[in-house]
Amino acid sequence: MAELIMIQGGTAVFDSGTRQVDLIIRDGVIAEIGERLSVPAGAEVLNAEQAWVGPGFVDLHAHLREPGGEAAETVASGAAAGVKGGYSALVAMPNTVPAIDSVPVAAHVLDLGRRSMLDVVPAGAITIDRAGERSAPMGELAALGLTFFTDDGMGVQRAGVMRRAMLYAKGLRLTLAQHCEDESLAGGGCMNASALSSRLGLAGRPAIAEEAMVARDLLLAEHTGASLHLLHLSTARSLEMVKAAKARGIAVTAEVAPHHFTLTEACCEGYDPLFKVHPPLRGASDVQALAQGLRMREIDAVATDHAPHAPETKDRPFDEATPGMLGLETAFGLTLEALGGDDADPVLLFELLSRNPARIAKLTAGDERRHGLSAHGGDLSVGSDANLVVVDPSTSWVVDRNQLASLARNTPYDGRTIRGRIRHTVVAGSLVLNDGEFTR
Ligand code: DOR
């Protein structure tokens, strides 16, 4: 059903800067942008005063767990968590059971996405069953509209397999996204390898496990000419290598996850498995370097690595618990804080949470491979698909794990006051979140 919506009194965030304007949404697209527009008859008016209006957020890294892990999350519940977090599109990670390594599984997830509150595009696996050996049928998956491939949860360990996948991906104009951890260095570890891990008696996953794979894959990307995306980078040195690679013209993009720029390894001191994640939380200097990298535009995207887990697997001794933490409902406020709170540049914030991830996932208006999904992350303009978010940068709220839309409860931020609240989310011209509440 076509909806008529007016977003009134907000600060619109364009690619080029901000302006006080109203927006009218009709038939799924932005129909008008202007100062003090009159309210069309029958329009739903959304209050955007003291708020920023920009393109809906796009998450490159959401574990939606369906098929196979429905006790932790489903596509529907993950999509709801996304909408509450201001997202209009999510890339669903392929470490499901079975993995998204075949056309039937990918088609199933696409179908579940179509019935959810926002746009879901699955990432395909690079190798069959993410086992790191035989290539997945990337060409067939690309024909369904998939453009982003990863074995996330596990990096592709063998350089020869990664090189072959890159050559294949280059021919098909696909992006390979790597979980950078060399298991011969990280395997068996459960937190950052440091003086603290020694004191706690926990086996470590050293920074070099990530950095060695970053270095290897940058070399392989240069050698093959393939497009490489580096998932959830967690160390200063990884960022330095990305910066140098970009300067050499290598086709690489990088994301960081909010937990890596807000939480340090010190969180693990109480052996609380909520703080167990791969790659692990690092020391303070790495955390500061990541936040600085965001501000300096050295990182392309903030991606959540939203990793819901059921209590049966998460509420266990630290070394036995599954790694991962929730992210979709808290990412905006944490990013805002890292960008300087009151001093944050809204254009940069939307670049990190919407424009760049939409481009990396090929969900922008210019890309012909969206396969029926609406366009995301574009500049606000008349005629463009209405995927929009209205965010209030000054209102604070307290994270309550029992109030989350996600089915899982494993947020590391329970009880934390976060400044920055999602007010309204519009997906493909439909109002799905109104003043923080679902409309359906
Ligand atoms: O901590 C993690 N959890 N890291 C990953 O890469 C995968 C994720 C998961 O699927 O739970």
Side-chain angles (χ1 to χ4, degrees):
M1 198 182 62
E3 287 178 43
L4 182 58
I5 299 167
M6 175 160 182
I7 301 180
Q8 195 175 46
T11 300
V13 184
F14 296 88
D15 288 358
S16 54
T18 60
R19 261 193 304 144
Q20 289 288 130
V21 285
D22 299 330
L23 289 88
I24 293 171
I25 295 155
R26 189 184 287 121
D27 298 331
V29 299
I30 301 176
E32 272 181 78
I33 300 177
E35 285 172 29
R36 280 184 281 280
L37 298 176
S38 43
V39 181
E44 169 108 43
V45 179
L46 305 181
N47 172 15
E49 273 167 38
Q50 319 296 329
W52 296 334
V53 184
F57 301 151
V58 174
D59 191 14
L60 287 170
H61 200 145
H63 295 277
L64 302 184
R65 302 292 186 226
E66 201 173 356
E70 293 83 352
E73 198 80 285
T74 62
V75 171
S77 67
V83 159
K84 242 183 146 184
Y87 290 85
S88 55
L90 305 178
V91 176
M93 287 288 115
N95 59 339
T96 48
V97 183
I100 308 178
D101 62 4
S102 69
V103 166
V105 182
H108 178 57
V109 175
L110 275 168
D111 195 43
L112 293 168
R114 273 184 217 107
R115 287 183 267 138
S116 80
M117 283 188 203
L118 45 62
D119 280 348
V120 174
V121 59
I126 295 174
T127 64
I128 298 287
D129 208 20
R130 302 170 39 255
E133 300 290 336
R134 288 179 301 134
S135 292
M138 284 194 264
E140 289 174 27
L141 291 164
L144 275 185
L146 277 57
T147 64
F148 198 69
F149 287 79
T150 179
D151 280 357
D152 182 60
M154 181 65 87
V156 176
Q157 299 298 308
R158 290 170 57 200
V161 174
M162 193 62 183
R163 175 175 177 271
R164 220 173 29 247
M166 280 189 178
L167 290 170
Y168 197 26
K170 178 167 163 58
L172 293 164
R173 291 194 303 125
L174 307 173
T175 297
L176 295 191
Q178 182 70 291
H179 173 129
C180 295
E181 279 190 300
D182 179 326
E183 285 300 308
S184 71
L185 294 163
C190 59
M191 69 168 287
N192 187 37
S194 63
L196 179 63
S197 65
S198 303
R199 178 155 66 74
L200 296 177
L202 293 172
R205 303 175 80 81
I208 191 71
E210 172 175 311
E211 292 154 356
M213 196 176 277
V214 169
R216 183 200 79 178
D217 281 6
L218 289 171
L219 289 172
L220 287 173
E222 183 168 33
H223 160 76
T224 58
S227 153
L228 173 68
H229 178 74
L230 300 175
L231 300 164
H232 46 43
L233 293 184
S234 69
T235 82
R237 195 139 175 231
S238 293
L239 284 199
E240 267 171 39
M241 288 189 276
V242 168
K243 202 168 139 186
K246 285 184 173 182
R248 281 170 72 85
I250 298 172
V252 61
T253 52
E255 65 175 44
V256 293
H259 46 265
H260 286 131
F261 61 77
T262 55
L263 304 174
T264 70
E265 62 171 2
C267 294
C268 303
E269 247 171 304
Y271 298 92
D272 185 342
L274 282 175
F275 298 103
K276 178 173 175 180
V277 66
H278 293 172
L281 303 178
R282 304 289 185 190
S285 60
D286 282 321
V287 173
Q288 280 158 17
L290 298 188
Q292 171 79 357
L294 288 173
R295 293 190 290 268
M296 300 301 286
R297 287 188 163 83
E298 289 166 7
I299 294 160
D300 299 277
V302 169
T304 66
D305 194 8
H306 179 80
H309 288 296
E312 298 79 69
T313 60
K314 192 64 178 163
D315 295 350
R316 299 182 58 82
F318 197 94
D319 56 340
E320 291 171 19
T322 44
M325 41 184 73
L326 300 181
L328 285 167
E329 296 176 66
T330 46
F332 162 64
L334 297 168
T335 304
L336 180 69
E337 184 182 301
L339 296 184
D342 282 341
D343 295 329
D345 171 4
V347 175
L348 175 56
L349 181 125
F350 279 94
E351 247 171 65
L352 291 166
L353 284 168
S354 177
R355 298 184 209 290
N356 292 345
R359 177 174 46 77
I360 294 165
K362 299 193 169 64
L363 288 170
T364 56
D367 210 290
E368 75 287 1
R369 288 182 286 178
R370 300 195 320 275
H371 288 252
L373 300 179
S374 53
H376 296 263
D379 200 6
L380 300 178
S381 62
V382 170
S384 62
D385 289 343
N387 287 305
L388 297 165
V389 66
V390 180
V391 298
D392 172 348
S394 42
T395 295
S396 298
W397 58 287
V398 178
V399 182
D400 175 352
R401 67 203 293 261
N402 295 312
Q403 298 288 319
L404 299 173
S406 173
L407 285 185
R409 294 284 166 261
N410 57 305
T411 173
Y413 301 107
D414 191 39
R416 178 164 169 151
T417 300
I418 292 186
R419 184 141 177 234
R421 175 177 172 267
I422 307 300
R423 205 182 282 177
H424 314 294
T425 310
V426 174
V427 178
S430 288
L431 180 64
V432 283
L433 191 82
N434 187 0
D435 200 14
E437 302 290 333
F438 294 116
T439 57
R440 46 179 141 119

